[in-house]
Amino acid sequence: MDHLHTILENTPGHVRPGNQVDVNSFLSARNQEIQALLKEIQTPKKCNKMIFQRLPKKMRRRVMSTTVKRMPKDLRTAHKKSIEKQINKHVRRRKDYRRKPKSLRLDYMRRQKNGKWLETHVWFAKRFHIVLKDGYKLPKSSHDKTYRACYRAIGNHCLAQDVSYISCIELRGPYSQIIEGLMHHVNQDCGRTFKAKCYEQGTREGTIFMYKNGAYPCGAIGRVSFIWDTCAQDKIRAVWIWAEPSIYAQLAKELQITFNLKQNDLDILESEPPVLKKPKLLEIIKKSKNISTPAVQTFVNSAMKMTLLKDSLNRLRLTGPLSNSVLSRVLYPADLVNSNSCINKNWWSSHLKNLKSSINIQTKLWESLSGADRPESYPSNCVIGFHTVDPRLVFPMKRTKALPISKDFLLEEDYSFKLPTIASVSKIWDLKVRDWSMQNKMPNCEMNMLRSNCIINGNDKIALDKHSMSIIPIILIQRPGQYHPITRPGYGSGWDIVLPAGWAMPFWLGLIMNGCQPGGLRETTTMVLERCLPRPDEPDTDAGNLRAMLEKEEAMKKHFRLPPQMRVNYIKLGFQTPFHCPWDILCNEWMLDSNNKFVLRNIKVLTQLQNLTLNLKEKIDVNNLKSEFADLQTCLVPIRLELSQKGILKPNSHVCLPTLDDLSNVGDKSNLGPLEKMHKDLNAFKRKIYRLEHKKLLRSLRRKRVLEKKKRNILCKRFKQKVSPTSQIVKEYLSQMKKLWIPEEQMPLKHSCSRVILGFSCNSHFSFTKSKYVGIGYMPGPALLELFNLWSESKTNLPYVLIRNPSTNQFRYAFLSITI
């Protein structure tokens, strides 16, 4: 025994531990200690720490300090009590109130002052670049790199676009009066008109170019599409005319003058007087909730009525071979659903009884969509009426690609060329039915509860027999696509879906969930150029002139935003008009009257000119052409350009007349084309002197201001002036410098470069079909005759012209063809 143990033995009260331990007493003691530790941990102390601060750092979140549901479940009750006991409760910061609007509805109304929103705007604004065009905020292109993906979708899959900005005008009255008035605005030389037999029954959609009253071939308005109603035997008929927003107001005004219509007095009385005081927030919300459908304007006379259905109808566009499969997944016929919930609504029950044969045909056509491979298997431009249930009821569980299911249900041979009239019957023509379908729309929250409570079948359709309160009348319109078998037959074919107001977002989400690729304005331009179609705003229309002016101003601002060292010197390149196409000047120099210029749209003449360009082996007599086609002396001919070799084709490019030497060197691949000699810039020295004088003037003016301050003994208390004293001098300097950089058209434009200018290229892009740059342009008729004369003398037998971009002196060879 060591010395320590001897001391412990002699100490009073010390007990030496035995060889055995009592288990029960030991466990009870340890249990009491653990309970005491847990109680100490769970009871909040008087410090400022919160419950969530006891978690590990990797589990902490700043939101936990105010949001109890973010905490783990076992700590929520304690954390809630600790928040309630706090003396200084969390106060919301003022900037949070500023960031979040009080009412999203009012905030959306405020943000639509500059441009009208589509119903799918919120979906597009998160994923697309939005631009302001013709009074609408429209999606241009996706944030992602989807240019090639959209091209593949058009050719092999399905592309979806919201074209609801194309507005509708309804004309209702006696059929003879409608035809008599509309024929003053069209001409049979441009194609089938409103009185064509193929469009009279209402089973097909037609397109025609409209002019001012009796002004053909001048006074062009724009290209429109139209649909007649299916009541062919009635004397009172209705026609829907669809127009782009750039020409919508002008067209409505012209029709109002033609039919002698006046605005309805009820519309004038319903318009509220101006409010002097600022209304309260709740009053505005109540008024906005009561508005079920957009307000429409009506113009009437003794026999006719014109209704402006702007923003009252939605139009979704599907393009691609899988459009049929997508429609078979999104749409579901209402007649296949139990209609017990619709007994009180007379329109659907009466429609089922009276038009049972039309509903049966429409159901067969819907079944054929699942087995049809391409949209062009249906009659071109056919119109199919349809009544479908809410598309949210048939949403798939996750995004899937719609494919043809089976070929058991194929289109009958009788319907492959012509559809019966009863197949195009739809209640969408009735205003009351459109309002009813919008008012009975189920909110998203109730729809989500319905989907969560119902059992999902194999077809992803949920209890359709019990929830059929929303029956939507729609119209399906087929678009044929390309006819040329050499390139891609059927390219650009698809369907258009016309919907009532308020239903664009559910149908759009249904299209996206079934594998559609979303597209914007860029894809519309791409399809126009790939299919060699003319632009809707051509240079002889008011909309085309306005668009050209806006594009010129924007390009000028972008050019002069660059420093002088980075700007392209267009004077040295011999390019007088790099930002616009001066059709008036070019027409005057080719012996045309610029005031009466018009674009040639006569289909027979354009077809004959196209045949001449394809058969250049035979000699062309220009004198016979002048005598045969008298309109060629006073018109602009639409052309299509395709580069023969590598290179880029930009807008506003020159289309020039080649020489015989240029055409003889076409076969040489090493020869890209002739070069334009550099021109002398006589304004370079003037710009330099003017800039130095301007700087000297600004310095002298600044010195004078400083001396005046010193004389008045003004103590330095600086203040910022709202208007600079030299602002007017700077504006004059900038305007004068712009004229020195890009002078006004003083030289003759036709001979401003080494090659004679024939016309201009208005729009261009890289074609994936051709693997080359293609463009659309125009040239005066006498310039085309000069070109025919040159081709007949050359030995190439191919329609070659020269192209030069605004930013280069290199001419390139291009093929020319006439667009029809």
Side-chain angles (χ1 to χ4, degrees):
M1 184 180 293
D2 55 359
H3 182 65
L4 177 63
H5 285 89
T6 56
I7 295 174
L8 292 174
E9 287 291 339
N10 297 328
T11 302
H14 175 72
V15 180
R16 187 176 180 180
N19 295 329
Q20 296 180 357
V21 178
D22 188 5
V23 178
N24 293 329
S25 60
F26 179 80
L27 290 177
S28 61
R30 299 292 80 74
N31 187 17
Q32 291 176 4
E33 292 176 359
I34 291 171
Q35 293 295 332
L37 289 173
L38 289 174
K39 188 177 181 180
E40 184 69 19
I41 292 171
Q42 292 180 356
T43 54
K45 296 182 180 180
K46 293 183 179 180
C47 62
N48 293 328
K49 285 189 176 181
M50 303 287 289
I51 297 292
F52 78 94
Q53 290 176 331
R54 300 175 188 177
L55 294 170
K57 289 187 177 181
K58 63 180 181 179
M59 296 178 64
R60 294 182 190 177
R61 299 291 182 270
R62 185 174 292 178
V63 191
M64 291 177 176
S65 60
T66 55
T67 310
V68 182
K69 66 179 182 180
R70 298 288 185 183
M71 290 284 291
K73 289 184 178 179
D74 54 347
L75 297 177
R76 284 181 187 175
T77 54
H79 185 49
K80 188 176 181 180
K81 290 180 181 179
S82 65
I83 291 176
E84 292 175 354
K85 290 180 180 178
Q86 277 184 344
I87 299 173
N88 298 324
K89 291 187 178 180
H90 174 71
V91 181
R92 194 174 185 181
R93 293 175 294 179
R94 292 186 63 83
K95 65 179 181 180
D96 292 342
Y97 287 102
R98 291 196 301 268
R99 288 177 183 173
K100 188 176 181 181
K102 293 182 180 179
S103 172
L104 277 178
R105 187 193 298 269
L106 291 177
D107 190 49
Y108 289 164
M109 291 168 62
R110 176 186 61 81
R111 290 161 63 184
Q112 293 186 52
K113 290 181 180 179
N114 296 330
K116 179 73 176 176
W117 286 6
L118 303 180
E119 291 184 11
T120 56
H121 175 82
V122 176
W123 190 93
F124 276 108
K126 298 177 181 179
R127 300 165 178 87
F128 275 66
H129 298 285
I130 304 297
V131 296
L132 179 63
K133 184 182 179 184
D134 299 326
Y136 284 90
K137 290 289 185 70
L138 302 178
K140 183 182 180 183
S141 58
S142 175
H143 293 312
D144 301 331
K145 295 180 180 179
T146 58
Y147 190 91
R148 196 178 292 269
C150 291
Y151 175 76
R152 290 199 190 101
I154 295 170
N156 303 323
H157 307 295
C158 183
L159 180 80
Q161 294 173 288
D162 188 359
V163 293
S164 301
Y165 53 88
I166 302 177
S167 304
C168 180
I169 299 175
E170 183 185 46
L171 283 173
R172 188 177 293 274
Y175 178 74
S176 59
Q177 292 187 19
I178 294 176
I179 288 294
E180 184 181 357
L182 291 177
M183 288 304 293
H184 291 294
H185 295 275
V186 297
N187 193 279
Q188 294 182 354
D189 295 338
C190 301
R192 294 189 181 96
T193 60
F194 291 94
K195 65 178 182 180
K197 290 185 178 180
C198 57
Y199 303 139
E200 185 182 1
Q201 301 295 324
T203 58
R204 294 199 180 196
E205 183 190 41
T207 57
I208 192 66
F209 206 94
M210 295 192 71
Y211 297 82
K212 295 179 181 179
N213 193 346
Y216 177 83
C218 301
I221 297 176
R223 190 172 295 277
V224 301
S225 58
F226 59 92
I227 308 172
W228 284 97
D229 63 349
T230 54
C231 305
Q233 298 179 356
D234 298 343
K235 294 182 180 180
I236 304 299
R237 297 287 303 274
V239 60
W240 279 357
I241 303 174
W242 297 84
E244 296 278 342
S246 58
I247 64 172
Y248 184 81
Q250 183 184 7
L251 179 62
K253 187 176 181 180
E254 289 292 331
L255 293 176
Q256 181 184 354
I257 296 171
T258 302
F259 292 102
N260 194 16
L261 302 171
K262 294 182 180 181
Q263 190 170 0
N264 195 358
D265 296 335
L266 296 175
D267 296 344
I268 300 172
L269 293 174
E270 288 178 359
S271 60
E272 298 180 357
V275 182
L276 299 177
K277 294 182 180 180
K278 187 177 180 180
K280 293 183 179 180
L281 180 67
L282 294 175
E283 294 178 0
I284 299 175
I285 292 175
K286 288 179 181 178
K287 289 180 181 179
S288 60
K289 285 183 179 178
N290 293 333
I291 297 173
S292 58
T293 55
V296 295
Q297 291 183 347
T298 56
F299 300 86
V300 296
N301 62 7
S302 59
M304 290 193 59
K305 180 180 179 181
M306 181 177 72
T307 308
L308 303 183
L309 298 176
K310 190 174 184 179
D311 304 325
S312 298
L313 294 169
N314 294 309
R315 188 160 181 160
L316 305 180
R317 179 160 291 174
L318 300 181
T319 309
L322 296 184
S323 303
N324 298 346
S325 303
V326 173
L327 286 177
S328 65
R329 301 287 186 88
V330 176
L331 307 180
Y332 195 83
D335 60 304
L336 299 181
V337 181
N338 186 12
S339 61
N340 293 331
S341 60
C342 301
I343 293 175
N344 297 329
K345 305 298 179 180
N346 295 326
W347 78 268
W348 178 239
S349 58
S350 61
H351 186 73
L352 282 172
K353 294 177 182 177
N354 300 334
L355 298 172
K356 193 172 183 180
S357 58
S358 68
I359 292 174
N360 294 334
I361 291 177
Q362 291 170 6
T363 306
K364 290 180 181 179
L365 293 173
W366 171 75
E367 291 176 350
S368 67
L369 290 172
S370 60
D373 294 335
R374 291 179 175 273
E376 57 264 27
S377 58
Y378 289 79
S380 60
N381 297 311
C382 67
V383 177
I384 300 175
F386 202 74
H387 299 86
T388 179
V389 297
D390 195 332
R392 293 174 292 179
L393 293 169
V394 292
F395 272 5
M397 291 296 294
K398 60 181 181 179
R399 188 178 181 186
T400 57
K401 185 179 179 181
L403 297 171
I405 300 174
S406 64
K407 294 188 177 181
D408 298 335
F409 303 101
L410 290 177
L411 191 66
E412 297 181 8
E413 294 182 358
D414 298 337
Y415 300 154
S416 59
F417 297 101
K418 185 180 179 181
L419 292 178
T421 307
I422 54 177
S424 304
V425 175
S426 177
K427 280 290 184 178
I428 197 173
W429 292 88
D430 193 348
L431 176 62
K432 295 180 180 179
V433 174
R434 294 200 301 265
D435 293 344
W436 181 89
S437 65
M438 184 177 179
Q439 292 168 1
N440 287 273
K441 181 182 177 182
M442 187 181 295
N444 288 331
C445 57
E446 296 181 11
M447 185 63 65
N448 293 335
M449 290 293 296
L450 180 65
R451 291 187 65 87
S452 62
N453 295 331
C454 293
I455 301 174
I456 306 298
N457 299 330
N459 295 329
D460 297 333
K461 296 178 176 62
I462 56 172
L464 292 176
D465 55 342
K466 298 180 181 179
H467 305 280
S468 60
M469 59 182 298
S470 297
I471 299 174
I472 308 109
I474 65 172
I475 286 178
L476 301 178
I477 304 170
Q478 196 266 356
R479 291 181 294 109
Q482 272 188 354
Y483 295 105
H484 305 292
I486 301 172
T487 55
R488 300 187 68 172
Y491 178 84
S493 61
W495 294 89
D496 281 7
I497 314 172
V498 181
L499 312 165
W503 284 100
M505 198 63 189
F507 278 87
W508 178 260
L509 292 177
L511 297 177
I512 298 300
M513 291 293 288
N514 284 283
C516 287
Q517 175 73 29
L521 294 175
R522 183 186 64 185
E523 283 66 42
T524 303
T525 308
T526 301
M527 282 189 285
V528 165
L529 289 166
E530 289 280 357
R531 296 177 56 190
C532 314
L533 298 176
R535 293 184 62 161
D537 43 3
E538 298 190 65
D540 62 337
T541 61
D542 295 340
N545 295 331
L546 179 62
R547 175 191 57 82
M549 184 181 68
L550 295 176
E551 288 181 355
K552 178 186 175 182
E553 291 178 358
E554 186 179 353
M556 289 276 285
K557 289 179 182 178
K558 185 178 179 181
H559 177 72
F560 287 105
R561 220 177 283 135
L562 298 172
Q565 297 85 357
M566 301 295 292
R567 296 174 192 165
V568 179
N569 194 333
Y570 294 108
I571 298 176
K572 288 186 176 181
L573 295 173
F575 222 100
Q576 294 186 11
T577 57
F579 305 125
H580 70 290
C581 304
W583 299 111
D584 296 341
I585 299 172
L586 190 65
C587 290
N588 284 330
E589 293 182 1
W590 280 101
M591 295 183 294
L592 291 178
D593 187 4
S594 61
N595 297 326
N596 295 325
K597 72 176 189 301
F598 63 92
V599 176
L600 182 65
R601 300 184 182 91
N602 193 324
I603 296 177
K604 292 182 179 179
V605 177
L606 291 174
T607 305
Q608 291 178 8
L609 292 176
Q610 175 66 10
N611 294 333
L612 289 175
T613 57
L614 296 176
N615 301 320
L616 292 178
K617 294 181 180 180
E618 301 176 0
K619 288 188 177 182
I620 302 172
D621 192 354
V622 178
N623 295 324
N624 289 338
L625 288 176
K626 290 181 180 179
S627 60
E628 187 176 356
F629 307 122
D631 291 341
L632 282 178
Q633 299 293 325
T634 58
C635 70
L636 290 170
V637 183
I639 58 173
R640 182 176 184 268
L641 303 165
E642 178 186 335
L643 291 181
S644 59
Q645 297 180 18
K646 64 179 182 179
I648 297 175
L649 181 60
K650 293 183 179 180
N652 306 322
S653 298
H654 284 170
V655 181
C656 298
L657 182 71
T659 62
L660 292 175
D661 294 336
D662 296 335
L663 294 178
S664 61
N665 298 327
V666 168
D668 189 2
K669 293 184 179 181
S670 61
N671 183 18
L672 299 177
L675 288 172
E676 176 72 17
K677 293 182 180 179
M678 284 294 178
H679 296 231
K680 290 183 180 181
D681 186 5
L682 301 177
N683 295 334
F685 184 72
K686 293 180 182 179
R687 288 196 302 268
K688 186 176 181 181
I689 296 299
Y690 189 50
R691 187 176 184 183
L692 293 174
E693 290 178 355
H694 178 67
K695 287 185 175 181
K696 187 177 179 181
L697 176 62
L698 293 180
R699 282 196 297 267
S700 64
L701 291 174
R702 186 178 181 278
R703 271 195 229 100
K704 288 180 181 180
R705 289 196 300 271
V706 173
L707 289 173
E708 287 178 1
K709 283 185 179 180
K710 287 181 179 180
K711 286 180 181 179
R712 286 181 292 182
N713 296 325
I714 298 176
L715 297 175
C716 57
K717 207 168 189 181
R718 296 184 179 180
F719 61 93
K720 193 173 182 180
Q721 293 183 351
K722 293 183 179 179
V723 180
S724 175
T726 58
S727 60
Q728 189 63 29
I729 298 173
V730 173
K731 287 181 180 178
E732 292 177 0
Y733 166 75
L734 291 175
S735 63
Q736 190 65 26
M737 286 296 287
K738 286 181 180 179
K739 293 179 182 178
L740 292 175
W741 272 103
I742 301 176
E744 297 177 355
E745 296 84 10
Q746 298 175 356
M747 293 176 57
L749 181 64
K750 180 180 175 182
H751 300 284
S752 60
C753 57
S754 60
R755 300 296 188 274
V756 178
I757 297 176
L758 301 174
F760 296 98
S761 171
C762 296
N763 200 6
S764 61
H765 90 122
F766 182 80
S767 172
F768 284 119
T769 305
K770 298 286 186 178
S771 300
K772 297 174 184 178
Y773 264 86
V774 297
I776 293 174
Y778 302 89
M779 65 167 55
L784 183 63
L785 295 176
E786 187 73 21
L787 196 56
F788 278 134
N789 194 8
L790 176 70
W791 287 338
S792 61
E793 294 178 3
S794 65
K795 298 179 181 180
T796 55
N797 297 327
L798 289 174
Y800 278 106
V801 291
L802 290 177
I803 295 292
R804 186 163 74 98
N805 293 328
S807 58
T808 181
N809 63 341
Q810 175 72 59
F811 288 94
R812 294 188 181 275
Y813 295 103
F815 292 104
L816 183 141
S817 59
I818 309 297
T819 57
I820 302 173

